[in-house]
Amino acid sequence: MTETLRIEPGQLTLSDLRRIYYSAIPIEMSENAWKQVARSRSTVESVIERGGTAYGINTGFGRLAQTRIDDEQLGELQTNLVLSHATGVGDLLDDDTVRLILLLKINALGRGYSGVSRQVLDLLIAMYNRGLYPAVPAKGSVGASGDLAPLAHLSLPLIGRGQIRADGGLMDSVTALEKAGLRPIDLAAKDGLGLLNGTQVSTALALKGLFQGERNLDAAFVAGSITVEAALGSRVPFDETINAIRGHRGQIEAARIYRSLLGPSEIGRSHTNCDRVQDPYSMRCQPQVMGACLDQMTNAAACLETEANAVSDNPLVLSDRGEILSGGNFHAEPVAMASDNLALAIAEIGALSERRTALLIDSSLSQLPPFLVDDAGLNSGFMVAQVTAAALASENKSLAHPASVDSLPTSANQEDHVSMATYAARRLTEMNENTRYILAVELLAAAQGIDLRRPMRSNDAIERAFRTIRNTVPKWEQDRYFQPDLEAVSKLIGDGAFGEWISGYLGTNA
């Protein structure tokens, strides 16, 4: 029987979010949440009945907030808002990301501070559970007032507009809803604004970047460990005391992971009395660099878990006070900064990996055949694979430039400072892909190095990782078409084939 995740709005954990991103788990809302939604809705209706004025409920939007809207036009106002704000462009967001956006929007509205009618949440939950994912273009949000354009596209199917992706194909929303036994709704006062205001798109994209980054960091621990073994590196830099006395939690955890991977081995014992005093930094300083990356990811995870449970629309309905107040929770600066910090970590994971690959192919450093291939000269081996890694590492340097320091005013200077959180989070996908390929190059090179140390054996952990690679890609005996090997190992990384070294750590330390 398929497990159902019962949502108590505001209490989603990082583990919940990770599970939803990777698999379509059915959801339902708690009864307590429905009660709070009803109280919030009742407050909105009371304000309208007594002739009060509230932004976006019976006024225009942005610089048009001073324009009062007649009661009989309030539904039309919300519909017009969705239609006019659906201005996104570019490629469509993938289904996994849209599923996460739907969850975050349901979670936020379910907290009962948005004043939307129950029919909105009923349809959002039904679409989520039936795998009906709105077609959401990736570009067009500056991250304040929330993710207006992409959330408008997310909302279009609720009013029978736009497209839905279902069963792998695109179809018009009315047809898709009808096939699923659903139908569009007529928006009531506040419904459209509650749907469009919020940081759910930028937060979902940042969570995607975090989850992909986790798997890259998992693979980096394994790749770096195999490289230490293949290049006859020292295990001393991973010593518990060395790393503990500096005090950084990420470094301490990283060193622990390396020690678990770099247990005693025949290869390790073969160079016990060698004359090498110290290894290059790309091997020796792995706990310090990867630990710093882990700290950045931990901090970002805490921020994003908080934002995933946040109420980030405007205005907010405070039922216990009978008030509707305007604020600025839609400003996605926390998400932008968290995404910028994730970008630093993702870039550095790749940068250090590329340096280790460069070390492996340099026979003067690794004591392995030049470019990791027999009969070098006739064969080029890993020469240009390292060039690809260098190119991708360089691209990531440019992509890592902070987006949160940028701002362009919008809406006739009413929205005069914006976060750029959506771009900050969206570029993490490209950066993670680059780093995944960089790590694939290193994993292939390091496995080749282990092959070239035969008949000596490594320890069980390294040999298991080695077999994971060799079960997919054979040893490099002579030059062959390289790119399929990169794709195969990149897929292994993306699928989490190299262990879950940090997801539990982030879940408990975020």
Side-chain angles (χ1 to χ4, degrees):
M1 184 176 178
T2 304
E3 176 190 9
T4 297
L5 177 65
R6 187 175 182 83
I7 297 177
E8 190 66 58
Q11 297 182 26
L12 287 173
T13 66
L14 196 65
S15 177
D16 293 332
L17 296 163
R18 190 183 290 110
R19 287 165 59 214
I20 292 292
Y21 175 71
Y22 285 117
S23 58
I25 301 170
I27 61 171
E28 62 182 13
M29 280 233 295
S30 70
E31 286 304 314
N32 181 60
W34 286 119
K35 291 176 183 177
Q36 183 61 22
V37 168
R39 284 195 293 268
S40 178
R41 184 64 199 171
S42 178
T43 302
V44 171
E45 292 172 351
S46 295
V47 168
I48 296 171
E49 288 171 4
R50 66 172 182 258
T53 300
Y55 171 75
I57 296 176
N58 50 18
T59 75
F61 306 100
R63 283 290 294 270
L64 302 175
Q66 307 306 316
T67 304
R68 177 68 184 256
I69 308 300
D70 293 337
D71 287 358
E72 61 270 17
Q73 295 179 303
L74 298 186
E76 182 182 359
L77 173 69
Q78 301 300 309
T79 299
N80 288 346
L81 177 71
V82 174
L83 294 173
S84 66
H85 284 46
T87 59
V89 297
D91 294 336
L92 299 180
L93 295 177
D94 60 277
D95 287 353
D96 294 339
T97 302
V98 175
R99 180 171 62 249
L100 198 51
I101 297 168
L102 282 169
L103 173 74
L104 297 182
K105 179 54 75 175
I106 291 164
N107 187 45
L109 297 179
R111 289 194 59 183
Y113 292 98
S114 302
V116 298
S117 53
R118 175 162 180 158
Q119 62 173 350
V120 170
L121 274 162
D122 281 335
L123 186 50
L124 285 173
I125 293 170
M127 289 169 59
Y128 173 97
N129 283 333
R130 288 166 172 77
L132 303 177
Y133 301 128
V136 180
K139 299 180 181 181
S141 174
V142 295
S145 276
D147 296 314
L148 294 173
L151 286 175
H153 286 276
L154 188 85
S155 306
L156 283 173
L158 278 71
I159 59 173
R161 306 294 182 91
Q163 292 181 302
I164 285 175
R165 189 151 51 195
D167 300 323
L170 276 174
M171 62 183 77
D172 72 89
S173 62
V174 173
T175 300
L177 291 172
E178 286 179 349
K179 289 181 69 173
L182 304 170
R183 61 183 181 181
I185 60 175
D186 294 323
L187 297 180
K190 187 61 167 68
D191 285 349
L193 191 55
L195 285 164
L196 267 59
N197 234 203
T199 64
Q200 288 79 33
V201 175
S202 52
T203 303
L205 285 166
L207 285 166
K208 175 185 180 181
L210 172 67
F211 299 148
Q212 291 183 342
E214 287 175 347
R215 291 191 170 179
N216 279 339
L217 187 51
D218 286 337
F221 283 127
V222 174
S225 298
I226 305 175
T227 292
V228 168
E229 187 80 325
L232 306 182
S234 173
R235 286 159 165 77
V236 172
F238 311 104
D239 177 83
E240 183 174 4
T241 301
I242 287 176
N243 292 281
I245 60 178
R246 194 177 192 188
H248 291 293
R249 293 172 63 189
Q251 178 179 335
I252 293 168
E253 177 64 12
R256 184 196 66 78
I257 293 170
Y258 283 115
R259 289 194 302 275
S260 70
L261 287 162
L262 285 167
S265 72
E266 183 183 1
I267 294 176
R269 289 189 293 272
S270 73
H271 58 96
T272 301
N273 297 315
C274 71
D275 58 2
R276 184 189 292 176
V277 178
Q278 294 184 137
D279 293 325
Y281 290 178
S282 61
M283 288 201 296
R284 188 177 8 139
C285 298
Q286 288 186 82
Q288 290 77 15
V289 179
M290 293 298 99
C293 292
L294 181 53
D295 280 337
Q296 291 296 326
M297 293 175 72
T298 301
N299 293 337
C303 172
L304 296 176
E305 185 178 60
T306 298
E307 192 67 19
N309 288 295
V311 178
S312 58
D313 57 306
N314 181 62
L316 298 177
V317 180
L318 308 183
S319 302
D320 56 339
R321 293 161 52 177
E323 294 181 301
I324 299 176
L325 303 180
S326 289
N329 281 3
F330 50 73
H331 201 296
E333 194 79 359
V335 180
M337 289 187 173
S339 298
D340 282 344
N341 289 332
L342 280 173
L344 297 177
I346 294 164
E348 282 298 273
I349 293 167
L352 203 67
S353 174
E354 182 277 325
R355 287 293 81 204
R356 291 191 299 266
T357 298
L359 182 152
L360 285 169
I361 66 174
D362 186 339
S363 58
S364 67
L365 294 174
S366 67
Q367 302 174 52
L368 291 164
F371 302 105
L372 303 175
V373 68
D374 293 325
D375 204 3
L378 176 63
N379 294 298
S380 295
F382 283 71
M383 180 187 296
V384 180
Q386 185 267 329
V387 173
T388 294
L392 296 173
S394 185
E395 282 191 19
N396 273 355
K397 292 176 187 177
S398 296
L399 288 167
H401 185 280
S404 58
V405 298
D406 185 25
S407 178
L408 281 174
T410 62
S411 191
N413 278 306
Q414 175 76 2
E415 298 158 4
D416 58 350
H417 181 276
V418 300
S419 71
M420 297 309 300
T422 321
Y423 167 71
R426 178 164 50 83
R427 52 79 194 262
L428 299 178
T429 298
E430 183 178 358
M431 293 186 71
N432 271 314
E433 180 181 66
N434 289 343
T435 293
R436 194 159 54 244
Y437 281 121
I438 295 168
L439 289 165
V441 173
E442 184 189 3
L443 285 163
L444 286 165
Q448 184 74 1
I450 296 295
D451 269 323
L452 294 168
R453 296 295 181 196
R454 298 301 192 208
M456 290 190 296
R457 310 291 295 179
S458 186
N459 59 55
D460 289 346
I462 297 295
E463 291 292 345
R464 279 196 301 272
F466 173 82
R467 285 194 297 274
T468 297
I469 299 166
R470 283 291 172 256
N471 287 340
T472 302
V473 177
K475 178 185 176 183
W476 191 275
E477 302 286 359
Q478 61 184 23
D479 282 353
R480 63 174 185 255
Y481 182 22
F482 209 129
Q483 199 260 351
D485 293 356
L486 294 176
E487 295 295 340
V489 177
S490 174
K491 185 176 187 304
L492 289 176
I493 297 169
D495 289 343
F498 294 100
E500 295 182 358
W501 299 101
I502 66 164
S503 59
Y505 177 84
L506 290 182
T508 56
N509 289 274

